[in-house]
Amino acid sequence: MFQKKYYYWLFVLPSLVLISVIILIPFLIGIFYSFTNSNGITASWVGLKNYFLLFSDANFLQSCWLTFLFSLLSVAGINVIALSFALLVTRRDNRFTKFLRTIFFIPNLIGGILLGFIWQFIFIQIFGALGSQLHLSFFNGWLSTPESGLWGLVILFWWQMSGYIMLIYVAFLNAIPRSTIESAKLDGANEGQIFWWIKLPQLAPAFTISLFLTLANSFKLYEQNLALTNGGPFRSTEMIAMNIYNTAFVNYQQGYAQAAGILLFIFVALVSFAQLYFSRKGERQNES
Amino acid sequence: MKAKVVRNITWIISVLLALIWLYPFVIVLINSLKTKSDLFSNPLALSRPTFGNYTEAFLSLNYVQSFFNSTLITVTSVLLITLLASMTAYALARTHGKISSIIYYLCAATMLIPFQSIMIPLISLFGRIDFLNRISLILMNTGLALSLSIILYYGAFLGVPASIDEAAMIDGANTVKAFFSVILPSVSPMTGTVVILNAMKIWNDYLLPSLVINKDGMYTIPLRMYFFFGENNSNWQLALAGLVLAIIPIIILFILLQKQIMQSATEGAIK
């Protein structure tokens, strides 16, 4: 098909040009930017100064810590909820369980801005009404303290992502041959034993995929953050993606924000390589 | 006997969970149908529905225009992505040279770059040549989506036997014609996945359009919704009616394409 070089480049070149112009060239310029004090109009070379400053910038460090906490809570919660849902909807294969899958998946269809607004209403108005009717202080003042703001974001993200991660677990659970489970039952294994000794080992690759998918989405979370708390109160729920945005487009410290962007890239790349390493290792173990 | 009890308990748990999961939508819908005073006196209660909020939200969201803008941008971007990604993936899957493997790994590598790491130079680059508009938004959507789409298509084309290529060529078609008339249709399930994954992402996107589009008349639904919500932060009944209007198109699409959408989501993650 591609004996003629002409056709090869006709098929490849348009994509190559777009990827270069939209991703590669900006990325290279970005590395350069991170060594300058650019404010969007003027820029001069400052060397590694931005990077040093970042490590003593209380706002930035706070954002990193918050992103870390958020990722931890999200990964743990989402995987537990998703696996429970997956076990629940694969117990039988009928209309009801298919319907349940659909229900659990729906929040994932909706964009971050809309999700943030839905939950802003729930945390402020619905929780407020519950608090005053039930006389429970637990429901009062959500989103108005740093802790409740963070938990608000975590709950939103659990709701959004669990149904999606559930589908991944379901795919792997369905790949386990029925005969394996049937013969274990004949040998007298109970539900718990079947889960622990048969289902769980088969779910290892699903767990790796889900873990890193949740992590990657947590690091880049921006729109939910914007619509739910807008970083408030007092920048206390500003996660890393929003910190970069505000530094660059609100304070116009573009060189400085870009240095944070490069650090985020390094971090995401390290996590992705870890994933590749662990999933390869898992595959080798399965083969042997 | 015991099995039946267990079955009933799981059934009750399932129904409860489903209700909890749907509750946020239900409570938003209920309150979007209230008057301002009904909503503020008790957002938990039911009341006589009024549709006035919807007419007002529909007008001040400029719904028809926003919907048109969202559709225009999503459809054009997805068309371009599907066209370019399938062609490139096919060329890469059918050649074994050094250039092809370099391009393939380049695609895999660019997927590691988070948008936040390129957004500042990207926007200032396009701003400097005064090229921030719907066309550049479409080009950016495409550039950002190509790598994943190429890799997804690449896997699909490896599964198409080379004999199909030869058969198509013997019929006298040239490479371009053979590709579009025979080879691309043979991977249409993957085209479905690529279209759905990208369409959902682009339709829902807020960050990139907010950076690129600065003319009121060009706002997409999420952009318009953001400003609308800010303007009505004490008029919850209006804000919620707008929210429901913004969610409706996605839900309709989901009802129509439920199976494909859920399948695409799984495939996009696992491959």
Side-chain angles (χ1 to χ4, degrees):
Chain A
M1 290 296 268
F2 294 102
Q3 282 85 354
K4 286 183 190 149
K5 276 277 154 214
Y6 166 78
Y7 280 121
Y8 181 78
W9 289 111
L10 179 73
F11 274 52
V12 168
L13 207 57
S15 298
L16 211 54
V17 169
L18 266 180
I19 293 176
S20 308
V21 173
I22 307 295
I23 302 178
L24 284 178
I25 294 172
F27 182 67
L28 297 175
I29 297 176
I31 295 176
F32 170 75
Y33 265 21
S34 75
F35 298 116
T36 70
N37 64 359
S38 163
N39 59 6
I41 299 158
T42 59
S44 56
W45 185 264
V46 295
L48 283 168
K49 193 174 149 213
N50 289 332
Y51 290 93
F52 287 122
L53 278 177
L54 278 172
F55 286 104
S56 55
D57 176 340
N59 267 327
F60 177 71
L61 293 178
Q62 153 92 352
S63 294
C64 291
W65 171 239
L66 209 68
T67 310
F68 172 75
L69 270 183
F70 175 83
S71 309
L72 208 67
L73 293 169
S74 300
V75 165
I78 290 167
N79 279 287
V80 168
I81 299 170
L83 183 56
S84 316
F85 281 178
L87 291 169
L88 203 62
V89 302
T90 49
R91 284 177 63 88
R92 290 205 164 58
D93 193 25
N94 55 29
R95 275 194 170 178
F96 178 62
T97 56
K98 287 216 171 74
F99 178 66
L100 280 179
R101 285 178 213 185
T102 314
I103 301 280
F104 293 143
F105 181 73
I106 284 180
N108 197 256
L109 297 164
I110 296 172
I113 286 288
L114 305 181
L115 288 174
F117 288 146
I118 293 177
W119 282 90
Q120 199 190 352
F121 174 69
I122 292 175
F123 286 129
I124 295 175
Q125 295 293 320
I126 299 299
F127 271 41
L130 281 173
S132 61
Q133 285 186 9
L134 302 172
H135 302 289
L136 285 175
S137 59
F138 169 79
F139 288 110
N140 291 333
W142 274 67
L143 307 185
S144 61
T145 65
E147 292 77 30
S148 61
L150 174 65
W151 276 105
L153 267 173
V154 170
I155 292 171
L156 181 160
F157 207 48
W158 286 353
W159 187 65
Q160 179 188 6
M161 288 284 291
S162 295
Y164 175 36
I165 302 295
M166 170 197 73
L167 290 183
I168 294 164
Y169 282 120
V170 167
F172 280 83
L173 279 171
N174 282 342
I176 302 174
R178 280 222 91 80
S179 56
T180 318
I181 294 172
E182 292 302 324
S183 62
K185 269 185 193 160
L186 285 178
D187 291 340
N190 64 30
E191 291 254 348
Q193 284 169 325
I194 290 176
F195 172 69
W196 191 257
W197 295 109
I198 297 175
K199 288 184 177 170
L200 211 56
Q202 294 291 326
L203 287 178
F207 179 71
T208 328
I209 294 174
S210 306
L211 176 74
F212 287 97
L213 211 60
T214 322
L215 269 184
N217 281 324
S218 307
F219 293 154
K220 294 182 240 170
L221 190 93
Y222 171 75
E223 296 173 358
Q224 291 87 332
N225 200 178
L226 176 73
L228 190 69
T229 65
N230 195 8
F234 306 112
R235 299 186 84 168
S236 62
T237 57
E238 187 182 89
M239 297 222 287
I240 199 160
M242 181 180 266
N243 181 282
I244 294 173
Y245 181 94
N246 286 345
T247 312
F249 297 113
V250 179
N251 299 342
Y252 292 103
Q253 296 172 290
Q254 303 211 332
Y256 187 54
Q258 186 56 35
I262 297 296
L263 284 182
L264 179 68
F265 161 71
I266 293 171
F267 197 66
V268 169
L270 284 177
V271 170
S272 308
F273 282 123
Q275 173 185 20
L276 209 63
Y277 174 78
F278 282 116
S279 49
R280 288 267 162 84
K281 203 172 145 190
E283 275 161 29
R284 272 201 302 275
Q285 270 171 356
N286 277 352
E287 279 159 17
S288 61
Chain B
M1 192 54 208
K2 194 190 154 208
K4 206 172 176 189
V5 173
V6 171
R7 202 185 304 168
N8 282 336
I9 292 175
T10 22
W11 190 83
I12 292 169
I13 294 175
S14 309
V15 172
L16 271 178
L17 282 172
L19 290 177
I20 294 174
W21 229 244
L22 284 180
Y23 184 73
F25 292 117
V26 175
I27 200 75
V28 164
L29 188 66
I30 289 174
N31 282 290
S32 71
L33 294 165
K34 288 182 185 172
T35 59
K36 187 173 181 174
S37 59
D38 274 350
L39 192 153
F40 275 89
S41 64
N42 190 357
L44 297 166
L46 288 168
S47 70
R48 272 170 60 96
T50 154
F51 291 90
N53 301 329
Y54 280 88
T55 351
E56 205 178 332
F58 189 87
L59 293 175
S60 55
L61 273 173
N62 250 333
Y63 195 75
V64 177
Q65 190 187 57
S66 319
F67 184 86
F68 172 78
N69 288 337
S70 276
T71 311
L72 179 77
I73 284 161
T74 308
V75 170
T76 342
S77 305
V78 169
L79 273 177
L80 204 57
I81 292 165
T82 322
L83 178 74
L84 298 186
S86 63
M87 289 172 80
T88 305
Y90 178 62
L92 297 181
R94 285 295 186 266
T95 50
H96 302 284
K98 218 175 196 166
I99 301 174
S100 289
S101 60
I102 291 175
I103 296 173
Y104 182 83
Y105 282 108
L106 193 77
C107 289
T110 54
M111 280 172 57
L112 293 177
I113 303 175
F115 178 69
Q116 278 80 13
S117 312
I118 56 166
M119 92 187 151
I120 302 165
L122 178 69
I123 297 306
S124 80
L125 193 70
F126 278 75
R128 201 156 289 181
I129 55 172
D130 207 16
F131 188 49
L132 286 173
N133 52 35
R134 279 186 287 199
I135 295 171
S136 60
L137 178 59
I138 290 163
L139 292 178
M140 287 178 197
N141 280 334
T142 308
L144 292 168
L146 276 175
S147 296
L148 175 65
S149 309
I150 288 173
I151 286 172
L152 285 172
Y153 262 126
Y154 183 84
F157 284 129
L158 287 184
V160 177
S163 56
I164 290 187
D165 297 24
E166 283 152 24
M169 294 295 278
I170 287 165
D171 288 348
N174 66 29
T175 307
V176 177
K177 210 172 159 200
F179 177 73
F180 284 109
S181 60
V182 180
I183 296 149
L184 187 57
S186 72
V187 293
S188 39
M190 184 50 80
T191 303
T193 300
V194 170
V195 166
I196 287 172
L197 282 179
N198 288 308
M200 301 285 296
K201 206 190 266 170
I202 293 169
W203 180 275
N204 283 329
D205 193 20
Y206 166 82
L207 178 55
L208 183 61
S210 80
L211 291 167
V212 176
I213 289 184
N214 41 29
K215 273 206 201 75
D216 200 290
M218 294 182 181
Y219 284 175
T220 59
I221 291 181
L223 264 179
R224 175 69 71 194
M225 197 53 219
Y226 180 75
F227 293 110
F228 178 73
F229 214 86
E231 288 155 14
N232 291 294
N233 59 2
S234 59
N235 287 320
W236 279 105
Q237 76 292 353
L238 259 190
L240 295 181
L243 206 49
V244 174
L245 285 176
I247 292 173
I248 284 175
I250 311 170
I251 298 294
I252 292 178
L253 201 71
F254 183 59
I255 292 170
L256 295 175
L257 295 172
Q258 207 190 94
K259 213 174 143 198
Q260 287 88 331
I261 289 177
M262 288 171 73
Q263 219 164 9
S264 309
T266 328
E267 246 176 276
I270 292 175
K271 283 187 177 157

